[in-house]
Amino acid sequence: FALLMFMGILLFLLIRDENNLKAMNELKHYIDTHYQEDLSLSNLSKIFYLQPGTISKNFRQIWGKNINRYINSVRITNAVHILDKSDISITELAEMVGYENVNTFLRQFKEKMDVSPLQYRKRRQQAMERMHTREMFSRKERGEENWKI
């Protein structure tokens, strides 16, 4: 009987862990695709029918990181992709990636990237200009007629 009871408990724990993993996978996917929306624990709690504390604990347990840090990481990564392709204002960018407060965005960006969004944009533009200059020089060296383009 003790062995049967042990097997029952083990099965229960395995099923519970499987369900937790599934829920946290869905939650992570939701964050990855809805990063621009309200991702507060209270809102995620309503969407996933889980207690905020359960979400925090299980997310950290399964993914090894704090859920708020993960959300900020996803938002800043997407902000970098947008900065690479666009000249929108930093305020617009902050809103676009889910920050209600531009100062919070600036602080999070600098924490992750070690530079402000404006510094990042300027350095990227300078790098692109250097690449363009090197390409023009290479074309001239090879004797291409359209090296000035």
Side-chain angles (χ1 to χ4, degrees):
F1 176 74
L3 181 59
L4 190 56
M5 182 72 115
F6 175 75
M7 296 296 285
I9 292 171
L10 188 59
L11 182 61
F12 169 77
L13 292 174
L14 287 172
I15 290 170
R16 188 189 69 188
D17 286 350
E18 176 93 14
N19 288 340
N20 283 344
L21 180 59
K22 184 176 185 244
M24 292 302 107
N25 273 327
E26 289 172 6
L27 178 65
K28 185 176 179 289
H29 177 73
Y30 185 85
I31 292 168
D32 292 343
T33 57
H34 294 85
Y35 61 88
Q36 68 279 18
E37 298 172 15
D38 175 11
L39 297 177
S40 63
L41 276 177
S42 62
N43 197 42
L44 292 172
S45 177
K46 291 173 189 168
I47 294 167
F48 287 91
Y49 303 103
L50 294 168
Q51 292 296 319
T54 301
I55 290 173
S56 291
K57 184 183 102 195
N58 290 350
F59 194 90
R60 181 186 294 271
Q61 189 176 31
I62 290 171
W63 297 111
K65 52 183 88 171
N66 174 291
I67 188 168
N68 288 322
R69 284 185 187 251
Y70 181 73
I71 291 167
N72 285 321
S73 178
V74 168
R75 286 176 168 167
I76 299 305
T77 299
N78 281 284
V80 167
H81 292 307
I82 294 167
L83 273 174
D84 288 345
K85 300 175 187 168
S86 170
D87 287 331
I88 66 170
S89 76
I90 301 305
T91 302
E92 285 178 287
L93 177 62
E95 291 173 8
M96 207 173 177
V97 296
Y99 287 95
E100 292 180 14
N101 183 314
V102 71
N103 290 325
T104 302
F105 169 70
L106 292 171
R107 189 176 60 253
Q108 293 294 331
F109 192 98
K110 182 147 180 134
E111 185 179 304
K112 182 167 172 38
M113 302 300 295
D114 293 325
V115 292
S116 74
L118 287 175
Q119 290 168 322
Y120 176 86
R121 180 180 274 163
K122 185 176 181 180
R123 288 180 184 179
R124 175 134 168 63
Q125 287 171 342
Q126 289 170 341
M128 295 301 284
E129 288 168 7
R130 284 192 302 272
M131 281 178 33
H132 179 71
T133 301
R134 281 194 294 267
E135 176 63 23
M136 285 182 7
F137 183 74
S138 293
R139 285 180 176 182
K140 183 179 179 186
E141 290 289 307
R142 290 192 304 257
E144 293 181 20
E145 291 181 28
N146 61 349
W147 64 270
K148 291 183 182 178
I149 297 175

